[in-house]
Amino acid sequence: MPIKIALTKGRVEQQVVPLLEASGIDCSGIRSKGRRLIFDEDPVYETILVKGPDVLTYLNSGAVQLGIVGSDILDEQRNPQYAMLDLGVGRCRFVLASTSDFDPQQVSRKIIATKYPNITKRYFQSIGEDVEIIKIEGSVELAPLIGLADAIVDITETGTTLKENNLHVYAELQPVSTKLVVNRLALKQYQPQIRSLIDALQQTQGVNAQ
Ligand code: PRP
């Protein structure tokens, strides 16, 4: 039985595939994937490509043994699984951002748009502020520009999206990076294989153990 890895599609996938290859995993199928979702070229690890929030659904059910996902999603979902390794890629940060006329001291209750309502709620609780949170699914930067919200809480990597939409950073929240997470039961069942994958990943450039 191969060990199954749920890998987050998109940016995480692009940054992690070179690390998996450097660790000896055959990713040739992922590199030429078309619309395929399951990759069984490697004799030890079978990789499936899923949306970030679904990584934990597969992992928690035991359908996969390992997951590769951003800490933004782990923090938002309060994941009970083990985060074994910071892969040193996908580094970005959470910010509070808005237009130049936003007043962080405004007297009325703020409306904040975000894809991350739990992280947003925890941040404002930590500074003792009660806000209204509107959950949206993407293109969050639009919300203060179109009048849906006073400000946003979102992740920024290069800062390009904020800049090109004339938004400014008003507060820095927590940093984000990509993690290898392990199902607790799988860690017992497949300890030697998982240990050797972690060792191999640690030896690849830029990888830091936790
Ligand atoms: C993320 C995030 C920002 C953007 C920031 O969105 O929500 O919009 O990336 O990146 P930057 O600082 O490098 O410009 P994503 O690309 O995942 O798409 P989405 O807006 O549809 O969620």
Side-chain angles (χ1 to χ4, degrees):
M1 276 277 284
I3 297 174
K4 296 191 180 68
I5 306 175
L7 173 62
T8 306
K9 292 186 193 191
R11 277 196 232 202
V12 168
E13 168 197 341
Q14 282 160 18
Q15 293 174 334
V16 167
V17 161
L19 297 181
L20 295 177
E21 287 176 332
S23 305
I25 298 179
D26 182 347
C27 295
S28 55
I30 303 176
R31 290 234 179 237
S32 58
K33 64 179 189 283
R35 300 291 296 171
R36 277 174 67 199
L37 298 168
I38 300 180
F39 303 91
D40 58 2
E41 283 77 12
D42 190 85
V44 182
Y45 298 98
E46 182 174 287
T47 304
I48 64 167
L49 284 180
V50 301
K51 292 259 186 189
D54 295 337
V55 168
L56 300 182
T57 308
Y58 282 96
L59 200 73
N60 289 332
S61 74
V64 304
Q65 287 74 46
L66 298 168
I68 297 177
V69 64
S71 61
D72 53 330
I73 289 167
L74 297 176
D75 290 350
E76 177 65 18
Q77 297 192 342
R78 290 178 176 275
N79 174 50
Q81 305 298 334
Y82 287 128
M84 297 293 289
L85 196 66
D86 186 331
L87 292 172
V89 295
R91 291 198 187 283
C92 53
R93 61 201 211 280
F94 274 99
V95 294
L96 172 69
S98 189
T99 49
S100 58
D101 60 355
F102 173 65
D103 174 11
Q105 311 301 331
Q106 77 179 50
V107 200
S108 58
R109 189 172 179 236
K110 292 185 190 106
I111 301 173
I112 308 295
T114 187
K115 282 187 280 190
Y116 301 91
N118 294 327
I119 287 169
T120 302
K121 189 173 165 195
R122 292 203 291 272
Y123 167 68
F124 281 101
Q125 275 175 350
S126 77
I127 59 168
E129 208 178 320
D130 174 45
V131 296
E132 180 183 340
I133 296 170
I134 298 180
K135 163 99 195 287
I136 49 178
E137 299 298 334
S139 302
V140 184
E141 292 81 3
L142 277 172
L145 299 171
I146 301 298
L148 178 69
D150 296 310
I152 61 172
V153 167
D154 199 14
I155 50 175
T156 176
E157 186 181 2
T158 61
T160 309
T161 313
L162 292 175
K163 197 172 168 206
E164 292 193 2
N165 291 288
N166 299 314
L167 295 176
H168 303 270
V169 173
Y170 286 89
E172 300 270 349
L173 287 64
Q174 71 257 43
V176 173
S177 61
T178 301
K179 308 273 184 170
L180 176 74
V181 284
V182 180
N183 174 284
R184 281 171 197 271
L185 190 62
L187 190 57
K188 290 189 188 142
Q189 284 176 332
Y190 298 93
Q191 197 168 32
Q193 297 96 322
I194 291 174
R195 199 67 254 171
S196 96
L197 176 63
I198 289 169
D199 288 347
L201 283 165
Q202 279 178 317
Q203 282 167 23
T204 66
Q205 196 183 359
V207 171
N208 302 302
Q210 288 193 312

